[in-house]
């Protein structure tokens, strides 16, 4: 059925996606590493020290990117969950499965780097305030999605259960985002806002922006790689995957 | 560079241990994620190759005589 919905059906085709991912992966990885290295080296060695915190603030160049991407990944998972429930698109479920461990790893890193940064800055590794607690809940949501997905063996019911959990859990995201405004907290407010220029000086926020973009690209690359693996597994009985695997072997 | 020497860069004005712990954790987790993901890829490919071989053997043995499959 040709028409305006054709691209949508194509997007749902695992085989089509596999080829697209193959084509974009080298470019994604290359630009991700370039931006990450540039942002981190700039941040560590060339950005000026903070007038209050000294050098400890240099943790921001991995803390903010991991926290930022960890939250966006969850939002993407919720959107993919809705797509799974409404259109039964297989690729959306493949996405959720493949990125949940990446999201969990980034959330862990955000919590860990935040704790280590907290020690010299606040005098404590951990405080039970709104931002930190809601971020910990995000980690548990990721764990829940991974566990739920592997606990149900039937592919369709597993996909539906995971999609529902991803959707329900998304209420936590605005709580994380606005926790620094709604409650008294030790955590500093958002570094980047849509409406205002950053309060930081440019040679602090520019390297931060580079590492955020770099981590986004890195996430996209790794998500593509993991989705390809999931497709190879799910479509292992199809002719095109059989041929592909035979070719890889040879 | 805003630091006078390599030592000053590593010491980070006394914050070195905190900063380098974070960057080490970041590197370890990122490399671990990539390594684990490619290990999964290898496993999936090996598993499906094994499956294909089993099916080929079955297909080869069932219609013809069973003794033939022992030779291959």
């Amino acid at each position: 059925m040709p028409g305006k919905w054709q691209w949508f059906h194509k997007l749902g085709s695992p085989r089509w996606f596999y080829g697209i991912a193959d084509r974009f992966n080298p470019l994604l990885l290359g630009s991700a590493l370039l931006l990450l290295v540039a942002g981190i080296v700039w941040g560590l060695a060339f950005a000026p020290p903070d007038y209050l915190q000294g050098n400890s603030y240099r943790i921001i160049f991995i803390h903010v990117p991991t926290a930022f991407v960890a939250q966006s990944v969850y939002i993407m998972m919720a959107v993919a969950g809705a797509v799974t429930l409404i259109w039964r698109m297989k690729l959306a479920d493949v996405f959720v499965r493949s990125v949940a461990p990446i999201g969990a790893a980034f959330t862990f890193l955000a919590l860990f780097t935040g704790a280590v940064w907290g020690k010299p800055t606040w005098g404590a590794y951990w405080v039970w305030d709104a931002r930190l607690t809601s971020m910990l809940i995000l980690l548990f949501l990721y764990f829940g999605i991974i566990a739920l997905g592997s606990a149900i063996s039937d592919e369709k019911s597993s996909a539906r259960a995971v999609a529902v959990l991803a959707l329900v859990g998304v209420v936590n995201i605005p709580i994380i985002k606005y926790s620094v405004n709604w409650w008294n907290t030790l955590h500093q407010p958002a570094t980047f806002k849509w409406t205002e220029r950053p309060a930081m000086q440019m040679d602090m926020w520019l390297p931060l922006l580079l590492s955020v973009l770099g981590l986004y690209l890195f996430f996209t690359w790794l998500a593509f790689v993991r989705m390809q693996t999931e497709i190879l597994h799910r479509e292992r009985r199809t002719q095109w995957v059989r041929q592909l695997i035979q070719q890889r072997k040879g | 560079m805003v630091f006078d020497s390599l030592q000053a860069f590593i010491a980070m004005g006394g914050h070195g241990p905190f900063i380098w712990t974070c960057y080490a954790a970041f590197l370890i987790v990122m490399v671990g994620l990539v390594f684990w993901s490619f290990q999964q890829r290898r496993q999936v490919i090996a598993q499906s190759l094994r499956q294909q071989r089993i099916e080929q053997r079955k297909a080869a043995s069932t219609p013809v005589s069973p003794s033939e499959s022992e030779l291959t």
Side-chain angles (χ1 to χ4, degrees), chain A:
Chain A
M1 183 191 72
K4 66 174 178 178
W5 285 102
Q6 201 176 22
W7 65 271
F8 197 71
H9 289 289
K10 249 183 160 180
L11 201 65
S13 151
R15 184 182 184 176
W16 177 82
F17 174 81
Y18 194 98
I20 289 289
D22 253 355
R23 209 173 325 147
F24 279 103
N25 275 349
L27 191 71
L28 283 168
L29 180 64
S31 44
L33 290 181
L34 200 73
L35 286 174
L36 271 176
V37 169
I40 286 174
V41 169
W42 189 351
L44 276 176
F46 297 96
D50 184 67
Y51 76 103
L52 263 181
Q53 300 184 18
N55 286 310
S56 71
Y57 95 94
R58 294 183 198 278
I59 293 171
I60 205 173
F61 299 108
I62 46 176
H63 176 74
V64 165
T66 49
F68 204 83
V69 178
Q71 291 170 69
S72 348
V73 169
Y74 199 92
I75 296 173
M76 292 182 224
M77 275 174 39
V79 172
V83 172
T84 304
L85 291 176
I86 299 167
W87 290 292
R88 310 263 148 92
M89 191 191 272
K90 273 190 203 163
L91 202 60
D93 181 53
V94 168
F95 174 80
V96 176
R97 298 313 168 88
S98 307
V99 301
I102 312 177
F106 287 178
T107 311
F108 165 78
L109 278 173
L111 284 166
F112 180 84
T113 55
V116 176
W117 190 5
K119 189 64 183 165
T121 316
W122 305 336
Y125 286 111
W126 186 263
V127 285
W128 288 103
D129 88 341
R131 172 56 74 84
L132 280 71
T133 309
S134 53
M135 202 62 188
L136 189 65
I137 291 172
L138 182 68
L139 184 63
F140 291 150
L141 280 169
Y142 275 123
F143 286 162
I145 283 173
I146 296 167
L148 189 64
S150 55
I152 306 170
S153 54
D154 177 59
E155 204 175 279
K156 271 183 191 156
S157 32
S158 173
R160 230 171 301 144
V162 163
V164 169
L165 181 58
L167 268 175
V168 171
V170 83
V171 293
N172 189 41
I173 296 296
I175 297 177
I176 298 175
K177 172 105 179 67
Y178 294 107
S179 58
V180 285
N181 308 339
W182 290 343
W183 291 284
N184 283 322
T185 173
L186 282 174
H187 199 283
Q188 61 197 47
T191 308
F192 292 119
K193 294 193 187 86
W194 292 114
T195 46
E196 296 163 32
R197 286 182 61 82
M200 290 168 112
Q201 58 189 93
M202 198 191 73
D203 45 1
M204 288 181 176
W205 67 254
L206 206 56
L208 183 56
L209 193 66
L210 291 184
S211 48
V212 169
L213 289 176
L215 199 66
Y216 253 115
L217 289 168
F218 179 85
F219 159 76
T220 312
W221 169 73
L222 193 58
F224 278 13
V225 167
R226 294 181 56 79
M227 285 172 78
Q228 285 185 313
T229 305
E230 184 74 24
I231 288 170
L232 286 179
H233 177 66
R234 290 190 186 194
E235 307 273 301
R236 61 188 180 280
R237 301 197 194 287
T238 62
Q239 197 54 40
W240 74 272
V241 168
R242 281 161 176 269
Q243 275 172 359
L244 198 79
I245 284 175
Q246 289 291 343
Q247 281 166 7
R248 290 232 165 167
K249 187 185 65 169

Side-chain angles (χ1 to χ4, degrees), chain B residues 6-34:
Chain B
L6 189 66
Q7 282 95 320
F9 176 65
I10 290 164
M12 289 276 172
H15 288 140
F18 299 106
I19 295 171
W20 298 120
T21 304
C22 287
Y23 280 85
F26 178 70
L27 197 69
I28 290 168
V29 171
M30 297 280 272
V31 170
L33 261 180
V34 172

